[in-house]
Structure formats: structure tokens, C-alpha cells
Amino acid sequence: MDRVDFLVIGGGIAGLSAAIRLANVGTVLVVTKEELAESNTAYAQGGIAVAMGGAEDVALHLEDTVNAGDGLVNREAARVLVEQGPRRVEELLEWGTGFDRSVKGEGGVPAGELLRTREGAHSRSRILHANGDATGREIAVSLLRHVREIEQVELMEWTISVDLLLENGGVVGASLLDGEGGLRTVRARAVLLASGGAGQVYSETTNPEVATGDGIAMAYRAGAEVSDMEFYQFHPTAFSLPGAPRFLMSEALRGEGAWLVNSRGERFMERYHPMLELAPRDVVARAITREGMDGEVYLDMRHVKKDLQARFPGISKFLAKYNLELGRDLIPVRPAAHYLMGGVRTDLHGRTSLEGLYAAGEVACTGVHGANRLASNSLLEGLVFGALAAEAMMEEAPVGEVGLTAVATPVDGVPTAEAATERWIKELRELMWKDAGLLRDRTGLEQAQRGLDALAVTMPRGMFRRAVEARNLHVVASLIVTSALGREESRGAHYRNDFPERDAVARHSVMVRGELRFEA
Ligand code: SIN
């Protein structure tokens, strides 16, 4: 491709849903770091929350979203999400996404109808799922199938975006580094960041290795506003065995009846919240952390009389590697970093504070999730706000000569060795988990700040993927720590031991060019 109208960075649900629309009016280049299917989208298990039962259903979804967000949700963004969600999900169905349907009238659902489950802080069962616990993968596969048929869309895999290209203060493209180390600059009429989250900033995460916050770091370096970075959602139930990955034990397990028990075998959630195991995610994560201080915490499904292998085939297959079985064994769990509520600040059409730059999905912060995202609202977010960002880009992108130009981006000094880069990243992730994780205080956060300052001195150099990611992780970590230090209250996923109360007025944090401010 030697000309591109729209550059989309990221191939998850938000990026692909935008690309499909943008292709109606111009050429689209979708760039992904690994193969297209490798994104947070594909790892989403539990499902996609959507209210398809009319106005009352939609209103309840709105209230659940607002309540879970602990006073910080942008109500207008949440309204758009829940109102436009059903239409977007109908579209997925038209494109062939195979959500699970009742076969023999199970749970009173007529044969052939969509099955729905429930997760934390939902007042009713409204979560569609696919292949039991592989909802994200099914959506990703069906979107990709659709996108691959569109001639106007070029897909460029194994390519990391390094930095945004600026002209007169506006964004006009990005520099890209391919798997062979080749650098080039793509110029575009408009750029969409759809590069997902940053779970890799923590040593304990459910996120895949691609989630290194590249979009946020690039946007911040270019001078865009970022918002609410202190709100990192810790999923309560990641698998917890020494040496094993923090594989997600979907909240849908609790939706289907799993209990949480401590090392004494006590079901403890009644001490923390009236919704018990289906309390908001931040509440459950903190409860598990506290109970886990003197022993393991487990998911217990031994009382659940369902075919759990059929309902959760992916989780069952994973557990079998450790000789564990849902319904037979206690499953050890602990919280792990899962989803960033903050990100590049946008309006409801993905517009950032920089002309020409748009963002949608986890990389963006519309305020739709407030301080704590409602379970299974993230796939819906990508779908709805990816489409809205595309609408704005189509209307606003300036018409003019664009080109794909090869340039020599300077390589900064002698490259750091790969092993040293890996050690540096490990150190950053561990310090973030220890001092800027679930339970925070000034002493720990200042310690994290000092650790990041020390790491800045030995920042990995060179133009190879892990060095680029290392630098991006450092930007994201610094944004989280600075915003967390500035927020002297506890709200949603941000809990300060030294400021356990919630402020009367909810304010969003905004960071731009090293300055932190709070806005109502
Ligand atoms: C899960 O299946 O528990 C994850 C769903 C989500 O992140 O909302």
C-alpha cells in the first residue's frame, strides 16, 4: 500500500469494528504487533453484556454500569454504550458470530434462543457468551473473517507502532517497526488508537504479552491528555499456583454458582458485601486480598450440579494440566491486573485532545467505566465506541495528498542487550505490583516513584520491539503512580490505605506534559 487514508493501530474489537466502517470511504491500514487474533479481545472469556430486552432492560444496564463505577461514571457515555450496544450486537450476529444458544430448553430458555449468564454487579442475566468461555475469540474470529473480505483494508501483522507523527500540532501518521527491524513512517488522514490495555505493567496479570500500553505511551509523548490512570481493575480470580500463568478464572464461574472460600473453608463474602460473590469486582478483589493474607483463597463449585466441563471447556482444559477439575476440586485464585479504566482522554466519538488522533476501546478513557468497570462491558465498549470513532474520522479527516513514506527514524545510542531489557522490564513489573497494586499508600507509591526514577537511568535503548515496549511500560507506570499519589481518596479500583474514604465530589484525573490536574 503506498497511500492510506486511515491508520488503525490495533486489531481487537475496537480497531476492527472501526476498520469495517472506515473502508466505506477510504483505504485503511490495520497494524498489529503480533498476529491479528492476538489481543485482549481474544482472551475475553465470560462474555459481552448487552440489554436486548427493550427500554426497561437498557435502563437497568445503565444503572448497573453507573453503580459499579463508584460515582465516577460519565453517565452520557454509559447511556450511549447501553443504548447502542444492542444494535451493534445484532450486527455481530449478522456477521456470523456464534453466541451460545439453548439446545434443549436449558434453564427455561426456549430451544434456539440466546443463552445469557450473570456476573458481578449485574442485576440480571444479560451476558451473551460463545463456545462456553471463549466469547472474545469467537467475536475476534468473526470480525476478522468479515474484515479479510474487504479489499480496502490492508492488515499488517507483526509490526509495532513506535511513535505518532505530528505536523502543526496534529497527528498525521505513525512510525512503524516491523518484525525484521525495518522502520517506516505511515502518513494518514486520521489515526485511530485501538491498541488495548497495559496489564503487562504489573507482574501479576491476566493480559497477554502484547498489552504493554503502547497507544497510551505514544499519545502521551505526543502531548495528548490522558485520564484516570490510577484506576486499574484487578480481576479477583486469576489462577494461583506457583509457576503457573495467571489464567483467568472467569467471573462467569461465580455467575454459575461458584463460591469463594478461604483456607479455613469459610465462605467469606458475606462479611464484605450483600451481593456476596457477585459483588462489584473491586470489592471482591480486595476481599480476596485480605482473606489471602493468611492462606489461600479458592473457587468452590463442588455444590454446583451442572455440566461444568461443557459450560467452561477452555477453563477445564487449562485446569486439567494441573490435574484440577471444576466441580471436583477447590481452585486456587488471587487477583491480577486485568483492565485499565483510564487511558487516552476522548469524547464520545473517540476524539482526543490532538487533532487527527482518535482512540477507542481499552486504550481510551471516555469515563464510561468510572472507577470500576462493570463485568463484560469491555467488549461492548470496543464495539460501540470503535464504530463511533470511525464515524467522526470519516466526517472530519482532511482530504488531501497522503502517502506511505520510508524514513530513517534515528536509533538512540547503542542498543541494550535483550537479556538486560527483559531484566529491566521484570523489575518494573514487580515494583508496580508491590507498591502500586491493589492496596496503596503514600509510602508505597513514593517508593514506586523512586524505583521508576532509578529505572529511567537505565532505560532500554535501541529500536527493537522489547525496548520500545519497555519505554512504553515506563510511561504508563509513571502515569499510574503519579495519578495514584495525587488521588487522596479511595474509590472503585483505587484504594488508599491512608485515605480509605471516598471524597464527596467525584473528579477525574488528567495528565498532560507532566502536569496532573483533577476535574469534576
Ligand atoms: C471474565 O470472564 O471474568 C472477564 C470478563 C470481563 O473482563 O469483563
Side-chain angles (χ1 to χ4, degrees):
M1 182 186 279
D2 60 2
R3 294 170 67 85
V4 59
D5 290 312
F6 303 107
L7 174 62
V8 175
I9 298 173
I13 191 166
L16 294 185
S17 132
I20 289 168
R21 287 168 175 81
L22 292 169
N24 289 325
V25 300
T27 52
V28 185
L29 177 63
V30 178
V31 179
T32 64
K33 273 205 290 193
E34 293 195 0
E35 54 191 28
L36 267 151
E38 187 65 12
S39 67
N40 259 352
T41 296
Y43 286 78
Q45 296 179 357
I48 181 163
V50 62
M52 299 176 89
E56 190 204 337
D57 201 17
V58 167
L60 270 178
H61 190 188
L62 175 60
E63 287 319 306
D64 289 350
T65 300
V66 169
N67 291 338
D70 207 4
L72 199 66
V73 168
N74 172 349
R75 199 177 175 91
E76 191 49 23
R79 192 187 60 71
V80 166
L81 178 81
V82 298
E83 285 184 357
Q84 300 198 9
R87 206 180 321 153
R88 297 280 88 94
V89 170
E90 289 290 356
E91 219 165 45
L92 279 184
L93 288 164
E94 282 161 28
W95 295 338
T97 309
F99 290 116
D100 294 333
R101 291 175 185 272
S102 163
V103 179
K104 292 181 259 166
E106 47 273 40
V109 180
E113 298 273 304
L114 292 167
L115 289 169
R116 292 178 169 80
T117 193
R118 204 174 147 196
E119 291 180 16
H122 285 270
S123 58
R124 59 169 65 175
S125 298
R126 61 164 75 90
I127 296 162
L128 305 182
H129 43 89
N131 302 320
D133 55 9
T135 315
R137 193 155 293 278
E138 171 63 18
I139 293 176
V141 165
S142 61
L143 282 174
L144 268 174
R145 207 169 38 227
H146 192 70
V147 162
R148 283 189 202 284
E149 284 168 6
I150 306 175
E151 215 179 297
Q152 293 276 80
V153 179
E154 181 181 343
L155 305 170
M156 188 184 279
E157 297 172 303
W158 300 100
T159 299
I160 182 170
S161 306
V162 179
D163 264 311
L164 295 167
L165 191 64
L166 291 165
E167 223 167 66
N168 302 325
V171 172
V172 293
S175 53
L176 309 178
L177 177 69
D178 67 28
E180 268 82 55
L183 266 171
R184 63 170 149 191
T185 297
V186 176
R187 290 184 63 90
R189 291 168 50 209
V191 176
L192 176 67
L193 293 174
S195 45
Q200 290 290 320
V201 78
Y202 288 105
S203 54
E204 305 279 316
T205 182
T206 61
N207 286 188
E209 285 181 4
V210 291
T212 51
D214 305 328
I216 295 165
M218 281 193 296
Y220 185 71
R221 280 194 294 266
E225 289 183 344
V226 299
S227 190
D228 292 345
M229 290 295 292
E230 62 276 38
F231 294 108
Y232 221 108
Q233 180 166 78
F234 298 92
H235 196 289
T237 57
F239 186 62
S240 169
L241 269 191
R246 296 285 163 255
F247 190 85
L248 185 65
M249 293 290 123
S250 175
E251 203 156 308
L253 295 169
R254 281 173 279 136
E256 299 289 343
W259 292 337
L260 285 165
V261 296
N262 60 22
S263 53
R264 293 181 297 283
E266 296 161 356
R267 198 177 163 197
F268 56 82
M269 275 311 296
E270 62 192 22
R271 292 203 296 276
Y272 295 92
H273 199 278
M275 290 180 86
L276 306 176
E277 279 83 1
L278 291 180
R281 213 169 253 186
D282 56 327
V283 176
V284 182
R286 279 193 294 276
I288 293 178
T289 302
R290 294 206 165 103
E291 295 290 323
M293 282 172 182
D294 40 66
E296 291 292 329
V297 170
Y298 303 94
L299 278 170
D300 184 358
M301 298 193 88
R302 292 173 301 177
H303 57 284
V304 178
K305 303 288 170 241
K306 286 179 188 165
D307 183 351
L308 295 170
Q309 271 61 44
R311 174 67 182 85
F312 299 106
I315 293 173
S316 298
K317 190 167 162 212
F318 172 83
L319 290 175
K321 289 192 252 174
Y322 300 90
N323 196 23
L324 291 170
E325 201 179 299
L326 295 170
R328 186 192 69 192
D329 299 302
L330 292 173
I331 311 299
V333 289
R334 65 162 78 173
H338 183 62
Y339 181 92
L340 180 59
M341 271 76 70
V344 183
R345 195 182 202 201
T346 71
D347 68 8
L348 303 188
H349 277 82
R351 297 179 191 98
T352 70
S353 59
L354 297 181
E355 203 174 314
L357 183 67
Y358 299 76
E362 190 174 348
V363 67
C365 180
T366 56
V368 69
H369 307 302
N372 175 57
R373 174 173 65 81
L374 182 67
S376 285
N377 262 358
S378 55
L379 290 173
L380 195 69
E381 173 194 23
L383 209 54
V384 167
F385 290 107
L388 287 171
E391 274 177 22
M393 290 167 78
M394 290 190 286
E395 270 176 33
E396 295 160 10
V399 181
E401 191 62 15
V402 293
L404 196 67
T405 326
V407 295
T409 302
V411 175
D412 51 344
V414 180
T416 307
E418 276 180 38
T421 304
E422 291 307 330
R423 278 197 302 276
W424 187 97
I425 291 175
K426 185 166 180 284
E427 199 178 320
L428 177 141
R429 300 178 66 203
E430 284 171 357
L431 84 81
M432 284 299 288
W433 181 253
K434 183 170 145 294
D435 290 321
L438 246 112
L439 305 177
R440 303 162 172 182
D441 59 28
R442 172 161 296 279
T443 310
L445 290 166
E446 285 178 348
Q447 172 83 9
Q449 188 65 73
R450 282 193 295 276
L452 291 172
D453 290 347
L455 281 171
V457 177
T458 55
M459 186 93 75
R461 290 188 306 270
M463 203 43 81
F464 58 100
R465 174 172 156 185
R466 289 299 272 166
V468 173
E469 291 179 337
R471 298 194 284 267
N472 290 341
L473 285 168
H474 194 272
V475 172
V476 172
S478 304
L479 289 168
I480 293 173
V481 170
T482 307
S483 312
L485 264 169
R487 186 174 289 278
E488 295 187 331
E489 64 158 347
S490 289
R491 180 185 295 277
H494 171 75
Y495 191 87
R496 291 274 305 248
N497 285 321
D498 46 354
F499 294 97
E501 302 302 321
R502 194 175 94 165
D503 286 351
V505 178
R507 294 171 310 150
H508 295 277
S509 66
V510 181
M511 282 280 299
V512 62
R513 299 187 192 283
E515 295 294 321
L516 173 69
R517 65 177 196 270
F518 285 87
E519 282 179 7

